[in-house]
Amino acid sequence: MATPLTAAKFLAALRAEGVRVVEVGDWRNHNREGHGAWGPVHGVMVHHTVTKGTNATVDICRKGYAGLPGPLCHGVVAKDGSVYAVGYGRANHAGSGDDDVLKAVIAEKPLPAPNEANTDGNARFYGFECENLGDNRDPWPAAQVEAMVRVAAALCRAHGWGTDGDTSVIGHKEWQPGKVDPRGPGVSMPDIRKRVAERLKHPASWSPGSASTYTVARGDTLWSIAASRLGDGNRWREIATLNHLKDADAITPGQKLTLPKK
């Protein structure tokens, strides 16, 4: 549970995570204020748009359509990995969903299958619409999925939500009965959650495959750090060499170490 970030902090969190954000109009003040609550928030929800073309997708997500006024999300994740900020505050993205799912999200526990729609999700989740036809054939480019991971990780990081593959990040299909989004070749909610959890083990500036930093904790050894962060304790020598350590045993809590690529 958390108070929603201010629009400025939301934008800063995304950019710190390496997200390319495009600001659209007066997105900071474009919302459904007066039509229900906004917050407390508990997680991040991702969708697919059933649209083609970035410009058309951004336009409909910002303005909405007959029977469902915009904004339809906070950000649109385009095929090229750019994220278009189209609104902030309450948005018409989640609709009603299962209260048991919300309880699991709050507790960061495995999600039950949704079987009822009795809880307002627009008040409780950040929402990102992702450009995709939703026909289970339209592919999801790697850059787009990486952007989905980064926006979710940015908000989890900002709110202190878990790092162990928890369910603070969910798909629309995991919230509301009858929904199928997001789906298609190249996208998987378990994989996205796994990748978010991995990102949260590193600084916001981290990229997969790049060197990273680690803060030494009490009881750490180079071997234990190599085992937990690199998957092989025998790589402790690489850490010692990379950090110019003459005495591999002389590390202290709070010390910053550069880790080699996995």
Side-chain angles (χ1 to χ4, degrees):
M1 178 184 296
T3 300
L5 300 176
T6 64
K9 289 183 178 180
F10 170 86
L11 180 62
L14 265 57
R15 286 182 167 160
E17 207 76 34
V19 179
R20 299 191 306 274
V21 181
V22 180
E23 300 181 69
V24 181
D26 187 22
W27 68 273
R28 298 168 189 251
N29 299 304
H30 183 43
N31 54 55
R32 297 292 294 158
E33 184 177 356
H35 295 270
W38 166 233
V41 288
H42 306 287
V44 182
M45 190 178 297
V46 295
H47 310 254
H48 64 227
T49 59
V50 196
T51 59
K52 184 176 182 179
T54 298
N55 290 340
T57 297
V58 170
D59 190 61
I60 196 169
C61 286
R62 182 173 181 271
K63 297 177 181 177
Y65 51 86
L68 192 65
L72 305 184
C73 57
H74 300 112
V76 177
V77 185
K79 291 277 192 179
D80 69 356
S82 299
V83 176
Y84 292 76
V86 297
Y88 201 68
R90 184 179 175 87
N92 277 331
H93 74 97
S96 296
D98 196 314
D99 63 333
D100 291 326
V101 173
L102 182 61
K103 291 173 185 175
V105 170
I106 293 171
E108 299 184 1
K109 300 295 184 181
L111 300 173
N115 59 18
E116 55 188 346
N118 59 5
T119 301
D120 176 19
N122 294 333
R124 304 293 177 233
F125 292 92
Y126 294 99
F128 291 88
E129 289 280 358
C130 306
E131 179 189 345
N132 190 278
L133 290 173
D135 59 3
N136 216 22
R137 296 189 299 274
D138 190 12
W140 294 78
Q144 184 180 33
V145 178
E146 177 67 11
M148 294 162 67
V149 170
R150 288 181 184 243
V151 295
L155 295 172
C156 287
R157 193 187 303 277
H159 286 295
W161 293 329
T163 61
D164 298 320
D166 67 86
T167 49
S168 297
V169 185
I170 71 172
H172 198 196
K173 61 186 177 184
E174 296 173 310
W175 170 245
Q176 190 178 103
K179 295 296 182 181
V180 298
D181 55 317
R183 69 172 180 173
V187 69
S188 157
M189 288 313 303
D191 177 64
I192 286 174
R193 283 191 281 269
K194 180 180 178 181
R195 289 169 61 177
V196 168
E198 180 60 32
R199 280 204 66 81
L200 293 177
K201 296 176 184 177
H202 304 278
S205 59
W206 176 79
S207 290
S210 66
S212 61
T213 59
Y214 176 78
T215 303
V216 176
R218 188 175 300 279
D220 277 343
T221 65
L222 289 190
W223 193 96
S224 69
I225 295 170
S228 64
R229 296 299 180 178
L230 304 178
D232 182 356
N234 291 321
R235 295 186 65 186
W236 68 267
R237 295 178 181 85
E238 296 177 46
I239 300 176
T241 300
L242 191 60
N243 291 274
H244 309 289
L245 299 177
K246 295 181 180 180
D247 183 353
D249 295 322
I251 58 173
T252 58
Q255 182 178 355
K256 301 285 187 181
L257 295 176
T258 300
L259 303 184
K261 297 179 181 180
K262 285 190 174 182

